[in-house]
Amino acid sequence: MSHSLSALQSELLSAKIDVLRVIYADIIGTVRSKDLLVSELDKISHGGPAFCQGVWVTTTQGGVLDGADVLSNGLEDFISQIVPGSWRALPWEPGVAFVVAGANNPDGTPSPLSPRVLLERIVGEYAKLGLTPLVGPELEFYIADRTEEGGFKRALTQPGRVYTSGATVDPKGTFLHLLRMLDQLRIGVFAGNHEFSPSQYEINIWHGEALDACDRAFMLKAGVKDVIARVGQAATFAGKPWSDEGGSGFHLHMSLVDAAGENLMHEGDGLSPLAQHMIAGIVEHAAALTAFCNPTINAFKRLGPDTLAPYRANWGYDNRSAMLRVPPERGGGTRLEMRLGDGAANAYLMTAALLAAGLDGIRRALAAPPAAVGYSYEDESQAVLPMSLGDALDALRADAPLIELLGGDLVNVFEVMKRDEIERYTADVPDPTTRDVTAWEVREYFLDL
């Protein structure tokens, strides 16, 4: 056992934790896990328990595909890499703690298929330039009741309750209980409220260094689902679970600091050249990024003109109709807000892709295009984003520089998984072009993403 795991075992036993739940995100964003008995932690070698590589290519419906030759190579192992400092005791399940994990190949090299490993590598590329990316995730989700027929219905039906709290939007106290549990989880939760659509909520967590912030966002999603399931309801981050209501987004705030923690995104009252290069890279790669930010068929039913979700590859100052918004704060609060993300997006993969695109802009010193002004849905000078998963995957496949930055194996598996979703959806749904949410999407995404 490594020294770090030995120290972890002592910490856990002192905290009266007897079960360690090792969790990590697969490529499509599903929470995968294994419970370890802390009393046996001293017998683990190589950083964590082994898992089958088939996890990377398993669909939500149990199909096992053959991306990156995982299946044809005989479903080899990978070795999870526990991150000792990430453990958090579960207040709703005494004696149990979450801990996040990366992944190594059996020979000890980092797995090219682990989204967390990818983000760690991209952050390392920024470090070579003396830069540290900070990100602040904003996630929306719905709470639903289960129906006798095995489906789901919104727990509330009254519209017009955006930015409210209390019994009118939480009659059973479910959300308040959730907020308290997540506070005790110590992942930086500081606020929450009912969102625009009935039974839709948002919980805010503090920003931080990219890897830590994504670990906490991942634990947030896992925690929300677990706590809500325990009270007999269901929580979903799927972007568009209901045809007649708005979608759930995953907005990501991004900034860069130097070794002293100084924000490098501003210059006087304006944006720094560094920030403008980052914007330029993200806008240039926007079409390909759409696949990672909106990784489901369902996600594209959230996007479009007049939706308050992005429609064009653009950016603007404090403009919520733009894909990339620059909030009005300056000084240490200067940042970019990427509004393209869907609630079902994999936090590690989406963040890695956005930072990779920004890095490309910085390395090539790209010039940002003019900022969008006004209601930018109607500005035909700015390119429309892909409006289907298939088109987004085509754009990703055509973006060789971004694929090189992200690594071909992971992109290949991602594409195999998503092309399979399109194939199954097309075979099952009479009109695959429908903008209505189908029963197929509810089965595929509601509980798992």
Side-chain angles (χ1 to χ4, degrees), residues 67-147:
D69 296 325
V70 167
L71 191 60
S72 53
N73 283 343
L75 298 170
E76 299 168 328
D77 271 355
F78 73 86
I79 312 301
S80 65
Q81 298 296 295
I82 290 171
V83 181
S86 70
W87 75 270
R88 303 289 198 280
L90 304 189
W92 60 90
E93 194 164 12
V96 180
F98 277 159
V99 70
V100 298
N104 277 356
N105 295 315
D107 64 4
T109 58
S111 169
L113 300 182
S114 164
R116 191 180 190 279
V117 168
L118 169 62
L119 177 57
E120 192 170 24
R121 178 168 61 78
I122 297 297
V123 168
E125 293 299 314
Y126 275 88
K128 293 175 184 176
L129 301 177
L131 304 172
T132 299
L134 304 183
V135 303
E138 283 185 12
L139 281 155
E140 298 169 341
F141 60 94
Y142 278 92
I143 294 177
D145 291 328
R146 295 175 181 270
T147 67

Side-chain angles (χ1 to χ4, degrees), residues 67-68 285 287-292 386 389-404 406-419:
H285 294 287
L289 291 170
T290 304
F292 296 117
L389 181 58
D391 288 346
L393 293 173
D394 290 344
L396 173 60
R397 181 49 54 192
D399 195 332
L402 186 64
I403 291 174
E404 184 177 356
L406 296 176
D409 283 349
L410 189 147
V411 173
N412 290 344
V413 171
F414 178 82
E415 185 176 6
V416 165
M417 300 292 286
K418 296 303 163 180
R419 296 283 184 194

Side-chain angles (χ1 to χ4, degrees), residues 254-266:
M254 299 174 286
S255 61
L256 300 174
V257 299
D258 62 16
E262 187 72 25
N263 185 304
L264 301 175
M265 305 295 282
H266 66 100

Side-chain angles (χ1 to χ4, degrees), residues 1 4 7-8 17 48 128 153 276 306 318 336 363 367 433 442 447:
M1 178 175 67
S4 60
L8 175 61
I17 301 296
K128 293 175 184 176
K153 64 179 182 179
Q276 294 182 50
D306 304 318
D318 200 10
L336 313 179
R363 285 175 171 172
T433 66
V442 174
L447 289 177

Side-chain angles (χ1 to χ4, degrees), residues 272-430:
S272 66
L274 186 70
Q276 294 182 50
H277 298 329
M278 195 173 184
I279 289 170
I282 291 171
V283 172
E284 179 164 304
H285 294 287
L289 291 170
T290 304
F292 296 117
C293 294
N294 297 274
T296 68
I297 289 160
N298 176 261
F300 288 85
K301 297 180 180 181
R302 183 182 66 91
L303 301 181
D306 304 318
T307 59
L308 283 183
Y311 181 58
R312 296 183 182 274
N314 59 4
W315 73 281
Y317 291 100
D318 200 10
N319 189 332
R320 284 182 169 82
S321 71
M323 177 190 76
L324 190 67
R325 169 180 173 259
V326 180
E329 294 92 338
R330 290 295 173 265
T334 310
R335 64 193 186 277
L336 313 179
E337 180 195 12
M338 186 61 163
R339 297 176 59 79
L340 184 58
D342 182 86
N346 181 324
Y348 299 107
L349 190 49
M350 183 176 89
T351 303
L354 290 171
L355 290 177
L359 180 65
D360 187 45
I362 293 168
R363 285 175 171 172
R364 295 163 55 203
L366 295 179
V373 177
Y375 200 55
S376 66
Y377 294 116
E378 300 168 0
D379 185 351
E380 295 183 1
S381 68
Q382 298 165 328
V384 173
L385 294 162
M387 284 291 117
S388 72
L389 181 58
D391 288 346
L393 293 173
D394 290 344
L396 173 60
R397 181 49 54 192
D399 195 332
L402 186 64
I403 291 174
E404 184 177 356
L405 280 166
L406 296 176
D409 283 349
L410 189 147
V411 173
N412 290 344
V413 171
F414 178 82
E415 185 176 6
V416 165
M417 300 292 286
K418 296 303 163 180
R419 296 283 184 194
D420 174 74
E421 283 179 29
I422 294 170
E423 212 174 288
R424 290 186 287 111
Y425 175 77
T426 302
D428 186 88
V429 176

